[in-house]
Amino acid sequence: MAGAQVIRDLLEDTPEAREAMAKVFIAMDPNGNQVLSLAEVHKYMEETWPEFDSQRMLIRAHSAADSDGSGWITFPEFRKMLKYVLFFDELYDKFVSLDKDGDHRLTEEEFVKGCEVVGGDKIEDPAAAFHAMDQNDGGVVLFDEFSVWIARKLCVDGEGVDEQTYIDAYKGSLGAITAADGGRVRSGAWWKGRAKLNAMTKKKDKKAKEQRKKLYARIDADGSRGVTPDEVYAAVQKMWPEFDSMEAVNSAFKAADRSGEGRVQFREFRLLIKYLLFFDNAWDLFKQMDTNADGKLQLEEFSLGMQLLSLKEEAGDAETEYAKMNVDEGKGVELDEFALWLANHSNAGDDMAEDLARVADSDSEGE
């Protein structure tokens, strides 16, 4: 591809390449305002390098390079954008080669049959890899889920992709998901439901307490005045199906069940709601970090995943933090251990940390 080779030449660290890159930037900026919009980039690519014909790819590259989130590419960001044009274009070509029916999404069968194009010989379990990509368990994988997984895999496997490349690729894909494709975007109904639940967690609020009473009566199907795990599971599946991890629901239940009776009394119900919201967030992060979808975080996965957490600087060294979670020096960090770590680094409060520590301890004792 002529355009691809031109971009590779522009990315060379030489005075000639830098001068040529400046000329291309000026050519892309017809109004001379010294920033590039997505429309300007797309128009130039279409006219000059038509082989880069995927607007999906350009959206991701533009978003990944937009370090300050302004929606524009400045000259200092331009080199990075060209780098991601190549990165996402190569990934898109691979995605298209896997997408045999051309519907812009991959089924498990398509990925398993064609995974050699993405290093299939290094994928021990292609089916598990597919489910690791399928972040919303929809049964199909969109380009953004695919690109994030590939970037993360290359980084973890040490195949020439640095952590910043993965972070930028993640940001570029996430921006596109939010804007268009809906890969991991929760539905409007989910956000409304979550907002209602969050309102119910308020202490000393009469309206919140009345709402909790109504919801508790609805979940307590047998009227025993003690909600069981099965009743909670049934309620979640019926009312909030996008709380999609029963493991997270189970952990929330155990954290709220301070008496250890296997039932959540009404006095503990506010905690249950609070912990359902917390563990849903924790599960979301955990699942993104768990590259091989084995239900446990290895040090390499956690180290890379920390780059996505706003708590990175406050949390400290990845290896030290991982050792704090993996107290039993087991084969990996499980959800409850990760959730406890997250609570300790998110100002969740001593009561929550104590409840989550009890859950993590009970799980380790049960192994």
Side-chain angles (χ1 to χ4, degrees):
M1 294 172 66
Q5 188 55 55
V6 171
I7 292 177
R8 291 190 188 96
D9 291 342
L10 292 175
L11 292 173
E12 292 290 329
D13 189 17
T14 65
E16 295 78 12
R18 288 192 288 272
E19 182 179 351
M21 186 184 296
K23 290 179 179 178
V24 172
F25 183 88
I26 292 169
M28 279 193 190
D29 183 28
N31 61 5
N33 65 350
Q34 299 184 349
V35 290
L36 302 178
S37 67
L38 177 61
E40 288 173 327
V41 173
H42 183 251
K43 185 175 187 296
Y44 182 90
M45 291 288 186
E46 193 173 44
E47 295 175 351
T48 310
W49 299 318
E51 62 264 40
F52 296 114
D53 58 355
S54 168
Q55 189 166 7
R56 286 169 174 252
M57 174 272 294
L58 292 177
I59 290 171
R60 280 102 181 132
H62 191 277
S63 179
D66 181 17
S67 302
D68 60 3
S70 66
W72 306 88
I73 297 298
T74 61
F75 185 67
E77 297 169 324
F78 186 54
R79 188 177 191 280
K80 186 187 286 189
M81 191 199 77
L82 293 178
K83 172 183 172 183
Y84 288 122
V85 165
L86 295 179
F87 178 79
F88 282 105
D89 184 64
E90 182 180 353
L91 289 187
Y92 192 71
D93 285 346
K94 290 180 178 180
F95 183 85
V96 169
S97 70
L98 289 168
D99 181 23
K100 297 302 182 185
D101 61 5
D103 66 349
H104 304 297
R105 53 187 189 174
L106 301 181
T107 63
E108 182 175 346
E109 182 180 3
E110 286 175 326
F111 179 75
V112 171
K113 283 185 176 180
C115 67
E116 66 274 2
V117 303
V118 291
D121 58 327
K122 295 183 179 180
I123 301 175
E124 295 180 5
D125 188 342
F130 178 85
H131 290 293
M133 282 187 277
D134 184 17
Q135 290 285 298
N136 65 347
D137 296 324
V140 293
V141 165
L142 302 178
F143 176 61
D144 297 294
E145 294 171 310
F146 175 77
S147 63
V148 167
W149 181 82
I150 290 291
R152 181 166 47 191
K153 179 180 183 300
L154 292 175
C155 184
V156 171
D157 290 349
E159 297 184 3
V161 174
D162 58 26
E163 289 187 355
Q164 190 58 48
T165 296
Y166 165 58
I167 295 163
D168 290 338
Y170 176 89
K171 181 166 70 74
S173 292
L174 187 64
I177 288 171
T178 303
D181 292 335
R184 279 198 59 71
V185 177
R186 306 286 199 174
S187 70
W190 182 86
W191 285 110
K192 289 179 181 178
R194 184 182 176 86
K196 287 181 179 179
L197 287 175
N198 192 52
M200 290 185 203
T201 64
K202 295 178 182 178
K203 280 185 174 181
K204 298 178 181 179
D205 184 295
K206 290 183 178 180
K207 184 177 179 181
K209 188 173 183 179
E210 286 303 313
Q211 290 174 330
R212 287 198 301 271
K213 284 181 178 179
K214 290 178 181 179
L215 182 59
Y216 189 83
R218 186 176 176 184
I219 295 176
D220 185 20
D222 61 3
S224 64
R225 297 185 181 181
V227 170
T228 65
D230 287 343
E231 289 172 327
V232 174
Y233 299 153
V236 167
Q237 290 175 330
K238 183 177 180 180
M239 291 185 268
W240 314 293
E242 288 177 85
F243 282 82
D244 53 4
S245 168
M246 286 302 106
E247 182 182 354
V249 173
N250 183 55
S251 295
F253 185 94
K254 288 191 289 186
D257 181 20
R258 288 178 171 175
S259 65
E261 297 175 350
R263 290 174 175 269
V264 168
Q265 308 296 328
F266 180 71
R267 66 177 179 276
E268 300 166 324
F269 190 53
R270 188 187 66 83
L271 291 176
L272 176 60
I273 297 171
K274 178 180 177 181
Y275 293 149
L276 280 172
L277 296 172
F278 177 82
F279 272 99
D280 184 65
N281 287 336
W283 170 248
D284 204 34
L285 290 169
F286 185 89
K287 192 175 180 181
Q288 292 178 60
M289 291 184 182
D290 185 16
T291 309
N292 61 4
D294 67 349
K296 295 184 178 182
L297 297 182
Q298 305 305 320
L299 174 59
E300 295 82 2
E301 293 173 321
F302 176 69
S303 178
L304 182 58
M306 277 186 70
Q307 301 291 329
L308 302 177
L309 294 175
S310 59
L311 300 169
K312 176 182 178 294
E313 292 183 2
E314 293 87 341
D317 174 66
E319 190 168 350
T320 301
E321 297 303 316
Y322 185 84
K324 290 179 183 177
M325 289 189 290
N326 195 26
V327 290
D328 58 356
E329 298 183 356
K331 295 181 179 180
V333 168
E334 297 183 338
L335 174 62
D336 292 332
E337 295 170 314
F338 172 73
L340 175 58
W341 175 85
L342 191 63
N344 285 329
H345 287 283
S346 58
N347 299 317
D350 293 340
D351 288 348
M352 177 181 280
E354 187 177 325
D355 287 335
L356 269 56
R358 173 168 43 78
V359 174
D361 289 344
S362 68
D363 285 348
S364 63
E365 289 170 3
E367 292 180 351

